[in-house]
Amino acid sequence: MTSLQHYLETRKKLKAYEYVMWLMSWDAETEAPKKSIEYRSKQLEVMAGEIYAIQSNETYVNAIETLFKELDTLEHDLQIEIKKEHRELRFIKKIPKDEYIAYQVLMSKSVHVWAEAKHKNEFSLFVPTLKEVLLYQRNLVKYLEEEHLKGYDLLLDMYEEGFTQKEYDFFFDTLKKELVDFVKEVTKHPKPLHPKLVTGTFDKEKQKAFSEYLLDVFYYDRERGLLKTSEHPFTSGVTSVDTRITTRYLEDNLASSIFSTIHEMGHGLYEIQNDPKYDDTYLHGGTSLGIHESQSRMYENMIGRSKAFWTVHYQKLQLIFSPQLDEVTLEDFMDYMNHSARTLIRVEADELTYALHIMVRYDIEKKLIAGDIEVEDLPQLWNDTYEAYLGIRPNTNTEGVLQDIHWSYGSFGYFPTYALGSAYGAQIYDAMSQAIDIEKAILENNIKVINDWTKEHIHKFAQTKTPKEIMMIATQKPFDPMHYVNYLKGKYNK
Amino acid sequence: MTSLQHYLETRKKLKAYEYVMWLMSWDAETEAPKKSIEYRSKQLEVMAGEIYAIQSNETYVNAIETLFKELDTLEHDLQIEIKKEHRELRFIKKIPKDEYIAYQVLMSKSVHVWAEAKHKNEFSLFVPTLKEVLLYQRNLVKYLEEEHLKGYDLLLDMYEEGFTQKEYDFFFDTLKKELVDFVKEVTKHPKPLHPKLVTGTFDKEKQKAFSEYLLDVFYYDRERGLLKTSEHPFTSGVTSVDTRITTRYLEDNLASSIFSTIHEMGHGLYEIQNDPKYDDTYLHGGTSLGIHESQSRMYENMIGRSKAFWTVHYQKLQLIFSPQLDEVTLEDFMDYMNHSARTLIRVEADELTYALHIMVRYDIEKKLIAGDIEVEDLPQLWNDTYEAYLGIRPNTNTEGVLQDIHWSYGSFGYFPTYALGSAYGAQIYDAMSQAIDIEKAILENNIKVINDWTKEHIHKFAQTKTPKEIMMIATQKPFDPMHYVNYLKGKYNK
């Protein structure tokens, strides 16, 4: 068998394993019975072992290396894929197997330890585990370091290719300069919101009916995906013909399910609109976390929270919740879902303050990976940084340093992509509005026009373009954070 | 590695593959998006190939054979398992691999061909495919035949160990003698049913609320299972900590969801109440289709349709459907859900006529496998046999020979277990009523007492006892169809 044949045959196999791992995780997050956790973990461990064995099989590794040397002989997309897979080999070749396996075992427990510490508001419970996770991440950096990619940069680049501290420092410095004082100003005199929106109780079945309605509005193809509920909303796609999303219905928060649903549809549309020719390859999916988030944030905030959108759809919401919203005007609703406030919890933060929450985490991660601070320093530093950027201070670690799950499963370098995604989104939106009349499309309830544009300029490429290439294709210029700043200032100055 | 070590290690692996195959099928039946079928089929084929490779691996096969020779050295449950697995080897050793694989490919298409033929009411569309399926089954019989197990007997024994034509002939002859005329007599003058039950429209959300209520009534543990919807109700279990059931809500049929839910809970309780020590072995699950069906039928018909049951729960049903059922009395409801009629469709048949539908299929299958008739003869024979046993004749093949899916995926010998299960159920119920006061348990809304008995006398054994052994343990005597006949006559004579 040639290297290419061997590669393609193994890929076919690994795609099947990818599929079952995806399905196990989807099931666990959305419906698996509580007491089945331990049983499922055992099966998952076996499957993970099978995958590791196939991926690290010498013949397969050699096939990738051979093909990498003969890149020119391959067709274009396959060249990109082989480059990507060749780079992935570093994880198998440079990390000692024992350490890798010990880390997997640690991962299967660390999230639970974090959850308990958060629940009990006891940071000290989490300290030993977080130290282990951090140690592994620091070692990982050492194993994988290259001449031009060291320390925290290596982790950042893993989540967003081509983005290191240099780029992020510039980005966050711009935000600091432009937004920190602006946010304080905007949030100083909050406009009173309609009490029926703020203190109302909203029937979950009715919220569900509206979310299902939104699927049609956004042309989310139910034959290639579905909407379900889970504790935290997420998107889970495995092929362009199977990309599922979840939302959650909170009785005391009408906005939550609406904007979670639109947010996840933004993610989902990206993968549904991938060119299907990548379904059987490793190139299916979004090219980076940042570009992924640009789609969810753009659909959620720039389209979903716009005046045009609610001019068309507010009546439907009123109808479903009649008579509850009969006296609540469109303007009341606009004020409610676009109001801004400085609060402590990232996932509940509004569009304007969101990036400040991320800045806190970026500053801290940078110091943590560099070894400038240690795990014990986190609570104090966290609270101080919140005070500096947002002017507020957590009273507990539960609503402070323990609020996010990410560090517990070793995701350092992930947070910055959230803010970057919003900023990408603003720049992409500006470019799109040069090409099509977005407001008209929304007012005519024809979001398909928007989907067609995002498909053509972003989605269809799947992972064949880097984030920087996508920004050039979609906006004809490199990333520039001022689109985001101008968007936020324009919106919140009103 | 010793044979035992090798066996246990491979079993651990195969259990993980069993788990992912189970999950893929559960997902496909309950929620997977329509357009993902083809993609999923590809992944499923890869996984099936992996499983075949592991199962037919020489070292594994040798390990089973070695252990089979040293049975005495193994602990009791493992002896049973090794005997079972040793018998399973016949499929790998006696069926030519090419034929086996060609059959898998045929299976992936035949159900679709049947569905189309049924939809279009064109039996001829199904003929070539059914001929292929039948040919394989006839060949299978030849490959696997043993001195004392030939022809149709071999297939029957596959689904219900120890039950061959001899046992089934006696069973069905008894039913023919006792029930055919009785049914005609009972259904001659049907009692008019309350129009609000027969012609009403029943809100699906309310039906769902009642099914969820039933889960609590039957102590169906939501932390080890769940209730979902699907086109046809079924139970899908993979371990005692994960056994899921489905039902379906038909707006024009209130009884359908109620008794489907209870029926599937009967199946589900069997597997949830398996001793958990079998979870990681091949012995988890029900011992046979017949014993499985005995549990679903007993819970559905003998408990779920009893006067005692509705004396306790009818008020709840009225409350949920208030004011729709306000004027419908308990007696009206009892008449409605226990009425009998001679109809054409098996899955819609009532308790009394059900066995006659099965007799039709048993008679036909026997001739088909023996080669006494061919596929082309089926429609005529089907209609004639319905006329003989039920006194009615289908007008179309859709409501005749094409109604059931089973033959399309090669299940010959399966149907008889449905009738046998009901008959087992009656005998088991009689034995249980010697030991506990069933009616009292139901009236006190304490079905746990019943579950404890079924667990202790049937469920906990999982697959460690044969159907015949289970009947001896649970009822202290061999199977006797007269319990069933007497039960039906006692009930429908009233």
Side-chain angles (χ1 to χ4, degrees), chain B residues 225-474:
Chain B
L226 56 87
L227 173 68
K228 216 169 158 185
T229 54
S230 62
E231 211 180 314
H232 297 284
F234 66 95
T235 298
S236 184
V238 70
T239 129
S240 70
V241 290
D242 200 344
T243 301
R244 308 176 186 189
I245 62 175
T246 73
T247 191
R248 64 172 165 185
Y249 305 107
L250 306 174
E251 274 194 339
D252 60 353
N253 189 338
L254 176 60
S256 176
S257 70
I258 294 174
F259 296 103
S260 290
T261 300
I262 302 178
H263 181 94
E264 301 308 332
M265 277 196 287
H267 282 303
L269 283 167
Y270 190 177
E271 303 202 4
I272 280 188
Q273 295 203 121
N274 270 192
D275 192 322
K277 72 179 172 185
Y278 299 120
D279 281 351
D280 292 328
T281 75
Y282 301 131
L283 297 174
H284 172 76
T287 189
S288 74
L289 292 176
I291 299 292
H292 233 306
E293 197 72 8
S294 79
Q295 298 308 287
S296 56
R297 296 270 163 188
M298 191 182 81
Y299 275 92
E300 176 199 346
N301 292 328
M302 310 188 73
I303 299 166
R305 293 184 198 263
S306 70
K307 180 79 180 274
F309 189 83
W310 290 101
T311 302
V312 185
H313 303 291
Y314 186 57
Q315 265 194 316
K316 177 73 183 181
L317 189 71
Q318 281 185 311
L319 189 71
I320 288 177
F321 283 94
S322 180
Q324 196 173 0
L325 297 180
D326 285 4
E327 300 153 25
V328 179
T329 66
L330 173 59
E331 277 62 39
D332 293 332
F333 188 72
M334 291 294 298
D335 285 344
Y336 159 67
M337 62 173 190
N338 282 313
H339 89 289
S340 180
R342 287 170 287 126
T343 56
L344 290 168
I345 309 295
R346 176 185 61 84
V347 295
E348 292 165 10
D350 57 76
E351 191 182 359
L352 177 60
T353 58
Y354 192 83
L356 306 189
H357 291 261
I358 299 303
M359 276 163 47
V360 172
R361 289 151 179 82
Y362 175 70
D363 280 12
I364 294 174
E365 277 189 358
K366 202 157 65 165
K367 292 177 184 147
L368 206 51
I369 298 297
D372 297 340
I373 58 165
E374 288 305 326
V375 167
E376 289 84 351
D377 307 320
L378 284 173
Q380 173 81 29
L381 185 60
W382 183 280
N383 296 350
D384 291 348
T385 318
Y386 258 83
E387 188 141 19
Y389 294 158
L390 283 128
I392 48 174
R393 200 175 176 88
N395 286 315
T396 67
N397 288 325
T398 299
E399 56 180 17
V401 68
L402 285 173
Q403 70 180 263
D404 291 313
I405 194 174
H406 301 60
W407 290 342
S408 77
Y409 58 77
S411 281
F412 296 93
Y414 185 133
F415 280 125
T417 67
Y418 286 133
L420 183 63
S422 298
Y424 280 160
Q427 182 170 337
I428 290 167
Y429 188 91
D430 283 348
M432 178 162 63
S433 59
Q434 304 284 315
I436 59 171
D437 189 339
I438 302 178
E439 198 174 289
K440 182 164 169 274
I442 296 173
L443 285 170
E444 290 175 352
N445 195 16
N446 189 12
I447 287 179
K448 195 168 179 317
V449 172
I450 296 170
N451 293 351
D452 287 346
W453 191 92
T454 52
K455 177 180 182 176
E456 203 51 38
H457 295 83
I458 300 165
H459 300 179
K460 72 172 185 185
F461 298 109
Q463 300 183 39
T464 59
K465 308 285 178 196
T466 66
K468 287 183 175 175
E469 286 169 343
I470 287 290
M471 289 308 283
M472 284 307 292
I473 293 168

Side-chain angles (χ1 to χ4, degrees), chain A residues 17 27 42 81 100 112 120 134 173 177 196 221 233 255 259 269 271 315 332 367 381 389-390 434 441 464 477:
Chain A
Y17 284 93
D27 180 67
K42 275 191 283 189
E81 189 179 68
Y100 176 82
H112 298 287
K120 293 187 175 164
L134 182 62
D173 286 346
K177 203 180 80 189
K196 288 222 163 179
D221 186 351
F259 295 103
L269 284 166
E271 303 201 5
Q315 265 193 316
D332 293 332
K367 292 177 184 146
L381 184 61
Y389 293 158
L390 285 129
Q434 305 283 316
T464 60
K477 58 180 210 169

